[in-house]
């Protein structure tokens, strides 16, 4: 997402006509970005950097993906493990309220 500096946002009913375009081009943009950056490693986080995440559960039996409701528990576990690491700067993972 970026800052809307030109134009005005659409109301939801007015935006519905563009949904298929946004879906298709959003997927294309994601794939292109993934291909471009998939081998990138060891980026340094700077003050204020954020990483967005979504936790999914993949079922190979039914070939489905569902959003997991365990993000809070997982982040709690990650933060406990991070406390034991000495060679990293202070990092806090948290769910959005």
């Amino acid at each position: 997402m970026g800052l809307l500096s030109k134009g005005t946002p659409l109301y939801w009913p007015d935006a519905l006509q563009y949904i298929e375009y946004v879906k298709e081009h959003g997927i294309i943009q994601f794939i292109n970005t993934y291909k471009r950056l998939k081998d990138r490693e060891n980026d340094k986080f700077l003050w204020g950097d954020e990483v967005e995440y979504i936790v999914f559960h993949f079922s190979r039996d039914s070939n489905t993906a569902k959003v997991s409701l365990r993000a809070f528990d997982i982040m709690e576990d990650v933060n406990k493990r991070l406390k034991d690491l000495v060679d990293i700067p202070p990092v806090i993972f948290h769910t959005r309220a």
Side-chain angles (χ1 to χ4, degrees), residues 1-44:
M1 301 272 306
L3 174 64
L4 180 63
S5 58
K6 291 185 178 181
T8 56
L10 295 173
Y11 289 102
W12 184 249
D14 299 331
L16 291 175
Q17 64 183 317
Y18 301 107
I19 280 184
E20 289 308 313
Y21 177 89
V22 171
K23 284 182 187 178
E24 179 183 346
H25 289 83
I27 292 168
I28 292 168
Q29 181 180 4
F30 173 81
I31 291 170
N32 289 334
T33 302
Y34 173 77
K35 286 179 179 177
R36 191 176 81 244
L37 301 174
K38 67 181 178 170
D39 297 321
R40 194 163 150 176
E41 294 181 357
N42 299 319
D43 283 349
K44 296 187 187 233

Side-chain angles (χ1 to χ4, degrees), residues 24-86:
E24 179 183 346
H25 289 83
I27 292 168
I28 292 168
Q29 181 180 4
F30 173 81
I31 291 170
N32 289 334
T33 302
Y34 173 77
K35 286 179 179 177
R36 191 176 81 244
L37 301 174
K38 67 181 178 170
D39 297 321
R40 194 163 150 176
E41 294 181 357
N42 299 319
D43 283 349
K44 296 187 187 233
F45 284 115
L46 302 174
W47 184 86
D49 279 352
E50 294 183 6
V51 175
E52 299 287 335
Y53 67 90
I54 299 175
V55 180
F56 289 95
H57 171 74
F58 294 99
S59 172
R60 292 184 183 184
D61 297 335
S62 62
N63 199 29
T64 59
K66 296 181 181 179
V67 175
S68 173
L69 299 178
R70 296 189 56 242
F72 180 80
D73 298 329
I74 292 168
M75 289 298 99
E76 196 172 74
D77 184 52
V78 167
N79 284 317
K80 284 179 187 173
R81 292 173 190 231
L82 282 173
K83 286 181 185 177
D84 296 334
L85 299 176
V86 181

